C-alpha cells in the first residue's frame, strides 16, 4: 500500500454529453491526471524533468478496469482518491476512487509500467523495472 | 453474437501525448464512437431521434475493461471492430478490437444499459430492459 | 465592464501534444469552463438548473478570436482571468486572459449569445435577448 | 493560394455537449487535424518523421479566429475544407471552412509557424522561416 492522494475536479459543461452526464472518457482523463498528481505529491518530478535524468517518459497503461456506479454532471465538485495497491517487478497497480461528498461514483484499477524510449529505435517505447527511488518516495 | 462493424480512425497529432503515442482516453472515445456507429450500421437511429419515440437517451456504461497491447501514433490508420457478444435482460456486452493492418492493438469489453430519463426526476437517468426491436436489428 | 473571475488550472500530461506543449483546443475548453465559472461566481445557477426556469440551455459561441503568446506544459499552474467587456442587445463579449505568475500566455475574445430551444422545433436552438437579471448579477 | 484539401468528419455523440450540439473545442481539434491532413495530402511527411530530418516538430498556432454560423450534432457528416491563403516569411495563414452538404457552418482562420526545439534549451520551441521545400509541395 502507498500514500493516498486526493485530486479535486470541478465538473464542467464541456465534460458532459447530450444526456447531460459526464462523458466517460473524461473520467479516464481525470484518473490519468490523478496518477501523475499522485507521483508529484509524493515528490517525483514531472516526466519531462525526469526524461533527461533516467529516460522515463511516462507510465503507459497496460490494462484498465473501471466500474461506473453513479453519473455526475456539471456544477458538481468531485474528488479522485488515488493510491498504488500493489508493486510488481515491472508494473504497478493504481487504484482510483471518484467520490462526491464521500459517495463512491466510479472506481478504476490500472496496470501501468514505467517506460523509456527504446535506445535502438526512439520511435518505440519499452517498459523498465520499477525504479527503486520512485517507489521509495511513494511508500 | 451479433453483426460486427468496422469503424476506421485516422490517428491525429492532437490525439497523442508528450510520449508521442495516443493518449488512452482517446481510445475510449473511439470505442464509444464505434458503439453508436454499430447501432447506426444495424439500422438503429441516433439517440436524439429515438428519444421522442421511446425515451432512450443513450447507452451509458456500467463497466469497462481495456487491455492495451501496442501503442499507436499519428499518421496511422486504425480500425475499431465492434460487436455485441452477449445480451442480458437489462444490459449488453460490447466487444471492441482496435486493429492496424490486422494486428490487435487494444481490446475493450463494455457493459452497457439502455437508459431513459427518470419520469419522476428528469435530472436522473435509469436503465430499461433491452428493447426487443433494437436487439432484433443488431442480430 | 463586469466583475473579473479567476479560474486556476493545473496543466496535465494529457493536455499536451507530442511537441510537449498544451494542445490548443484545451485552451478553448478552459476558456469555456471559465465562462461558466464566471457566471456561477456571479451567482447565476448552472444551465441545467436554469433550463426549467427560463429555457436557457447555455451561451453558444458566435465568434472566437485567440492570440497565443507563450506555450505551456504539464506540471504548471495557470489562471484564466475572465470578464465581460461589452453587453449588446443579443450578445455579450467575453475576455479571457490566461496567465502564469502574472505573465500573459494567451488571450481570447468571445462573442456569445444566451440561447433557448426553438419552441417550434426542439432540435434547433436560437438566441434570446440578454436576460436583465443575469446581466445585473454580473455587473 | 494553395491546394484545397477536404477532410470528412463523422460527428459523434461524445463530441456534443448537454445542449446536444458539437462542443466547439472539437471544431478546433478538427481544424487542427485538417491542417496536418493538408500537409500530408500535399506530400509532406508527418512531423515525427520530419523531426530527425530538419528539426520541425509541428506548426503551433500564433492566432486563431473562428466564426460559428450553424450548430452541428451527432449522426451528421461534415467536411473541413482547408487551404493556405497566404505565405509570409515566418508564418502562413490557414483557412478552414466546415461544411455540411455545401452549407458553410463554421470558418476558421489560423496564423501558424513552423517550429523547432531551441538548440540551446530543448524545453523551449522557436519559429523558423517557412521551409521552401514544404511550401513548394503545397502550391
Amino acid at each position: 500500500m502507498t500514500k493516498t492522494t486526493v485530486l479535486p475536479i470541478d465538473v464542467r459543461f464541456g465534460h458532459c454529453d447530450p444526456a447531460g452526464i459526464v462523458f466517460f472518457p473524461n473520467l479516464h482523463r481525470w484518473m490519468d491526471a490523478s496518477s501523475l498528481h499522485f507521483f508529484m505529491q509524493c515528490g517525483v518530478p514531472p516526466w519531462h524533468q525526469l526524461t533527461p535524468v533516467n529516460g522515463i517518459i511516462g507510465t503507459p497503461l497496460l490494462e484498465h478496469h473501471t466500474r461506473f456506479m453513479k453519473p455526475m454532471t456539471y456544477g458538481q465538485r468531485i474528488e479522485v482518491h488515488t493510491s498504488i495497491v500493489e508493486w510488481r517487478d515491472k508494473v504497478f497497480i493504481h487504484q482510483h476512487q471518484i467520490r462526491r461528498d464521500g459517495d463512491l461514483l466510479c472506481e478504476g484499477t490500472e496496470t501501468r509500467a514505467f517506460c523509456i524510449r527504446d535506445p535502438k529505435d526512439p520511435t518505440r517505447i519499452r517498459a523498465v523495472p520499477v525504479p527503486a527511488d520512485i517507489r521509495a518516495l511513494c511508500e
Side-chain angles (χ1 to χ4, degrees), chain A residues 46-117:
Chain A
W47 313 130
H48 58 83
Q49 289 177 23
L50 267 187
T51 310
V53 177
N54 61 10
I56 303 282
I57 57 166
T59 54
L61 277 168
L62 303 180
E63 206 161 335
H64 194 118
H65 184 219
T66 316
R67 289 183 304 131
F68 306 90
M69 288 84 153
K70 294 187 184 173
M72 299 148 235
T73 192
Y74 60 102
Q76 298 178 340
R77 165 162 290 204
I78 59 173
E79 291 174 339
V80 190
H81 294 244
T82 291
S83 60
I84 292 178
V85 291
E86 189 185 341
W87 298 92
R88 297 185 197 150
D89 286 354
K90 279 214 166 179
V91 303
F92 61 93
I93 312 296
H94 244 333
Q95 189 191 68
H96 307 285
Q97 293 190 325
I98 301 184
R99 297 180 170 280
R100 186 180 57 227
D101 300 331
D103 213 8
L104 183 60
L105 309 174
C106 172
E107 186 171 64
T109 307
E110 300 175 338
T111 308
R112 288 175 179 265
F114 289 90
C115 286
I116 61 168
R117 289 202 186 285

